[in-house]
Amino acid sequence: MTSGKGFDAVPTALRNTAAVAACFLVIVAAIGVLVYLALKVASLVMAVISALLLTALVSPVARQVRRLRAPSWVAALAGLLTVLVAVGGSIALVGNQVADQWDEMRESMTEGLERAQEQIVNTLPISDRQLDNVIDGLLGALRRGSPDPVASASMATRVGAAVLIALFLLFFMLKDGRSMWAWVLRLVPERRRPKVDVAGRAGWRALGQYVHGIVLVALADAIGIGVALVLIGVPFALPLTLLTFIAAFVPIIGAVLAGAAAILIAFVSGGLTDALLVLAAVVAVQQAESHLLQPLIMGRTLHLHPVVVVVAVAAGTLAAGIAGAVVAVPLVAVVYRVASVLAGERGPPEAMEAADTAAPAGS
């Protein structure tokens, strides 16, 4: 009785605050356990997420093949081959150009480095010997920081296994996506199935919109910067174009890194004038992307503030490196869309429309 009176004596605001704090700690602990388990099987998690992204990307191909009354396995195989041809073709093109231009690029880099060394010595209060010592120190640090061959082989094995798993999952997601989603829904209590179905389809639609939108934006960036590199005469224009395309999948940070690589090669091979021209081209393309392409192509797909995007990319990078940076934003976008539908009575209009037009996997 005394303890009850003592509990009742606690102010209501304090009791509510304690309850909210306890719930918050439980949620944080649960998220921490999930993140810990995900990091333990990071390769498998990245393979599953990559398969989902690729499924969202090539599902229109499978859908078109299925409309020709082809079997589901043929449609899935068409989507899988589309991915393999696109990736394999890009690697072959880049490899051929690198092999053809390597000798020319090596000579240009040697001349560019010598020219840069002269400019540094003439501009800054530093002698040739001091600059050589700095360069030797940097090279030594790079050699010491190079990965161990055994660790590199182990990493290559894990990456290869993850790629094979992702391709395997891609095929069956394209082939049996609807039945997989139906099986997931059967695990949900019957009274909640309609809303979970709508939320899942809304999240899948958001993922598809994001993937298709970011591919178009990346393609526009790559074409714009690639044309500029060819006109300026920068070596390795095709590899740099492909790097720009890939880097566009990492919002904000990817564009900066790809632009810096292009500027550096332009400076080494052609001097300060070429570097400034490439810088102007990169800035122009990025401004066109930010103010025209992103609003026009991506539309209202993300509903995320730029701060959220930056934090998501940083968290994904810390958790899983480059792969984590690529999947962080679409993952946050899907979670946000699903949570928005589940939190509402019916969800946004686009989510309700998605219930009739989209499937959480496959087509």
Side-chain angles (χ1 to χ4, degrees):
M1 191 72 178
T2 304
S3 60
K5 289 182 178 180
F7 181 77
D8 292 338
V10 177
T12 303
L14 182 58
R15 291 203 303 269
N16 293 338
T17 303
V20 171
C23 293
F24 177 76
L25 291 177
V26 170
I27 293 173
V28 170
I31 294 175
V33 171
L34 291 176
V35 172
Y36 174 79
L37 294 176
L39 292 177
K40 284 294 184 180
V41 289
S43 298
L44 178 60
V45 172
M46 293 307 303
V48 173
I49 295 177
S50 300
L52 287 171
L53 292 173
L54 291 174
T55 302
L57 178 62
V58 300
S59 58
V61 176
R63 189 179 303 117
Q64 292 298 326
V65 174
R66 190 173 281 113
R67 286 176 180 172
L68 300 176
R69 297 184 178 180
S72 58
W73 69 269
V74 174
L77 185 61
L80 179 62
L81 291 177
T82 300
V83 173
L84 293 177
V85 169
V87 176
S90 300
I91 293 175
L93 287 174
V94 171
N96 289 335
Q97 192 188 46
V98 170
D100 293 339
Q101 296 187 2
W102 178 250
D103 292 336
E104 178 185 351
M105 183 60 186
R106 184 174 57 186
E107 295 177 0
S108 298
M109 289 181 63
T110 302
E111 296 176 359
L113 290 175
E114 292 176 353
R115 186 167 53 250
Q117 183 174 356
E118 293 177 359
Q119 292 179 353
I120 292 174
V121 172
N122 295 331
T123 304
L124 300 178
I126 184 173
S127 63
D128 288 332
R129 176 175 294 182
Q130 291 173 330
L131 183 59
D132 291 337
N133 291 335
V134 172
I135 294 175
D136 291 340
L138 291 176
L139 293 177
L142 290 175
R143 284 192 294 268
R144 290 191 297 271
S146 60
D148 181 71
V150 177
S152 299
S154 177
M155 175 62 70
T157 302
R158 289 198 297 270
V159 171
V163 170
L164 292 178
I165 293 173
L167 294 176
F168 178 83
L169 294 175
L170 169 63
F171 176 82
F172 283 100
M173 286 180 180
L174 290 172
K175 179 178 178 292
D176 303 321
R178 290 184 182 275
S179 59
M180 289 180 180
W181 179 240
W183 178 83
V184 172
L185 287 178
R186 286 197 294 270
L187 302 178
V188 180
E190 188 173 356
R191 63 187 180 87
R192 296 187 178 274
R193 286 179 190 172
K195 194 168 188 178
V196 172
D197 188 24
V198 172
R201 292 174 185 272
W204 181 252
R205 187 180 182 186
L207 181 63
Q209 290 174 338
Y210 173 82
V211 172
H212 294 142
I214 198 66
V215 167
L216 291 176
V217 171
L219 187 61
D221 284 354
I223 292 175
I225 294 180
V227 169
L229 294 177
V230 171
L231 294 177
I232 296 171
V234 178
F236 291 164
L238 184 57
L240 289 173
T241 300
L242 181 62
L243 175 62
T244 302
F245 178 80
I246 296 174
F249 287 87
V250 183
I252 302 174
I253 298 176
V256 174
L257 295 179
I263 294 169
L264 178 61
I265 291 182
F267 175 76
V268 170
S269 62
L272 182 60
T273 301
D274 286 358
L276 292 176
L277 290 174
V278 172
L279 174 61
V282 169
V283 171
V285 171
Q286 294 304 322
Q287 289 299 312
E289 175 198 330
S290 301
H291 296 92
L292 179 62
L293 296 178
Q294 287 282 359
L296 182 63
I297 297 177
M298 299 296 290
R300 298 179 300 165
T301 298
L302 293 183
H303 301 278
L304 298 178
H305 193 276
V307 173
V308 177
V309 174
V310 172
V311 172
V313 172
T317 304
L318 293 175
I322 297 177
V326 172
V327 305
V329 175
L331 182 61
V332 171
V334 170
V335 171
Y336 173 77
R337 183 67 64 87
V338 171
S340 298
V341 175
L342 292 177
E345 290 297 324
R346 291 178 54 84
E350 61 268 22
M352 302 305 297
E353 180 186 352
D356 297 325
T357 60
S363 55

